[in-house]
Amino acid sequence: MTQALSVGITALGTYVPSKVVTNHDLAQLVETSDEWIVTRTGIRERHFSAEDEFASHMAIHATENMIAKHGSAVLDGVDLVILATSTPDALLPATAAIVQNHFKLKAGAFDVIAACPGWMYALSAAAAYVKSGMAKKVLTIGSDALSKILNWEDRGTLVLFGDGACAAIVEAVPEGYGFKSFVLGADGEGAKHLNMRCINTTLPDGSPLTEKVSMNGREVFKFAVRVMSSATREAVAQAGMRLEEIAYFVPHQANFRIIDAARSSLELPLDKVVSNVERYGNTSAASVGIAMREALDDGRIKDGDDLLLVSFGAGLSWASSVLRWHVKTF
Ligand code: COA
């Protein structure tokens, strides 16, 4: 899918729960060590939501953070809420509708389930709504509380994930700014490698679906390294650009080894890579937004920078995009 759109992100906020869980804390629960986790993943700590804190709460906090950063006018005229999550508060209603109600927005609201790339899928939908004229201003959220669906006895998954949320405004931007390409991909053949049950107990081929997240880490690792670099190349080519023109590579924060393998195959210098996986682990649909916000806050990302966003996850699925950053004053 190629789109040359003058639609982009004009505001961004994030949230992580206050509870920090270190590798040492997890080593009290399962047979693992700080050394193993750091060496294999680059993760040192992550944030876990409180028992009574869910995706909707985190989404609302991320939206409030966006208001604090950009001003209260930021929500004026929002006419659609799209919320990406794999951990919705409920199957009915959509978590997006809970957010809509909290902020009393005169807006439609729906959820997107597309695993870790969910927020990027949501951004692509938001951009298409704005481009088509069906919406003017879309509150586009990624919020996941993966800690709620992990198997606390499975060291292979427990150490990887954390909770968090990001909230962005997608709307028209001046010519030349905004999303320059979107690549969306899925390969349902790989469903067996990363899944969790909901209503059914098996996949169509009879593979069992479990009560909590289950994963074949090695298969996901190989897929991730391959797709991070291929999807990056595709998004850059669709934008009519060269990799050297990308100011910052903002990848899904799943594992620093995956990020670094992709960086190396793309021959990108380390200082162009935004990574904070060390402090948050894999926050699923929130991870690209949280990384991007950090690079904005520390002054790395500036007006006019071309960013390459890329994510992957269950499906198996992936998404990438080139975004020229636009600084808007509300
Ligand atoms: N602590 C200690 N040992 C662990 C462990 C942990 N937390 N998790 C797994 N191990 C063990 C395994 O049981 C295995 O032991 P064995 O050799 O006795 O069977 C050994 O470590 C090596 O396992 P392996 O799976 O080969 O390790 P790895 O180097 O591939 O690292 C992952 C495992 C999960 C970190 C890595 O495969 C990965 O990051 N995969 C991608 C996962 C991902 O990103 N998922 C989210 C997608 S959105």
Side-chain angles (χ1 to χ4, degrees):
M1 178 175 135
T2 313
Q3 288 168 324
L5 303 167
S6 293
V7 174
I9 295 177
T10 55
L12 181 62
T14 59
Y15 171 79
V16 288
S18 56
K19 184 179 175 189
V20 176
V21 177
T22 66
N23 292 346
H24 296 290
D25 295 332
L26 293 182
Q28 309 293 314
L29 302 174
V30 288
E31 206 183 320
T32 190
S33 65
D34 178 58
E35 201 256 332
W36 191 96
I37 303 169
V38 172
T39 317
R40 304 291 178 115
T41 71
I43 300 166
R44 291 184 189 276
E45 57 187 40
R46 70 289 289 146
H47 295 243
F48 279 178
S49 48
E51 235 169 85
D52 57 354
E53 187 176 34
F54 296 93
S56 65
H57 301 107
M58 296 197 297
I60 288 165
H61 287 314
T63 306
E64 286 166 348
N65 177 255
M66 181 179 75
I67 294 168
K69 286 192 179 298
H70 296 270
S72 54
V74 78
L75 288 185
D76 291 355
V78 165
D79 50 359
L80 183 63
V81 181
I82 308 179
L83 188 148
T85 185
S86 301
T87 49
D89 290 28
L91 279 182
L92 315 170
T95 303
I98 299 174
V99 176
Q100 171 278 324
N101 184 49
H102 180 88
F103 293 103
K104 302 294 175 213
L105 301 169
K106 197 169 175 301
F110 68 91
D111 287 357
V112 164
I113 295 187
C116 297
W119 186 59
M120 294 202 49
Y121 270 76
L123 289 176
S124 75
Y129 270 97
V130 175
K131 182 73 177 170
S132 72
M134 279 185 69
K136 266 194 133 40
K137 198 171 178 185
V138 186
L139 175 58
T140 313
I141 296 170
S143 184
D144 262 320
L146 263 286
S147 68
K148 303 270 193 268
I149 58 167
L150 293 174
N151 174 353
W152 287 64
E153 290 170 5
D154 176 10
R155 64 182 180 174
T157 49
L158 182 62
V159 303
L160 300 177
F161 295 95
D163 300 342
C166 65
I169 294 295
V170 173
E171 62 180 331
V173 290
E175 190 79 36
Y177 285 96
F179 296 109
K180 300 192 163 297
S181 62
F182 271 113
V183 173
L184 305 178
D187 175 10
E189 262 312 300
K192 57 185 174 293
H193 298 313
L194 182 50
N195 55 53
M196 178 186 147
R197 64 163 294 195
C198 177
I199 291 171
N200 202 347
T201 53
T202 64
L203 287 167
D205 68 0
S207 327
L209 289 163
T210 47
E211 283 289 333
K212 299 287 177 179
V213 173
S214 70
M215 181 181 72
N216 179 338
R218 281 181 209 184
E219 282 303 321
V220 176
F221 191 99
K222 283 189 277 180
F223 150 76
V225 173
R226 190 176 67 246
V227 85
M228 290 265 269
S229 61
S230 62
T232 293
R233 288 187 196 285
E234 231 181 295
V236 171
Q238 284 191 14
M241 295 174 66
R242 287 173 295 114
L243 257 177
E244 306 83 84
E245 294 175 285
I246 296 298
Y248 290 103
F249 177 65
V250 191
H252 177 39
Q253 307 290 313
N255 178 330
F256 189 74
R257 278 165 61 217
I258 294 174
I259 294 172
D260 202 49
R263 179 202 66 78
S264 159
S265 101
L266 293 164
E267 298 179 23
L268 293 171
L270 198 54
D271 62 2
K272 281 194 168 187
V273 177
V274 177
S275 178
N276 58 13
V277 67
E278 187 180 12
R279 279 170 291 122
Y280 301 107
N282 179 345
T283 56
S284 190
S287 104
V288 170
I290 291 175
M292 205 186 336
R293 185 68 253 180
E294 233 174 69
L296 282 164
D297 287 344
D298 65 23
R300 269 178 291 174
I301 298 177
K302 297 188 183 61
D303 190 73
D305 277 350
D306 286 313
L307 313 177
L308 186 288
L309 317 180
V310 60
S311 185
F312 64 88
L316 299 169
S317 60
W318 60 93
S320 58
S321 175
V322 173
L323 169 66
R324 180 165 296 171
W325 191 255
H326 167 63
V327 175
K328 174 172 174 174
T329 309
F330 283 88

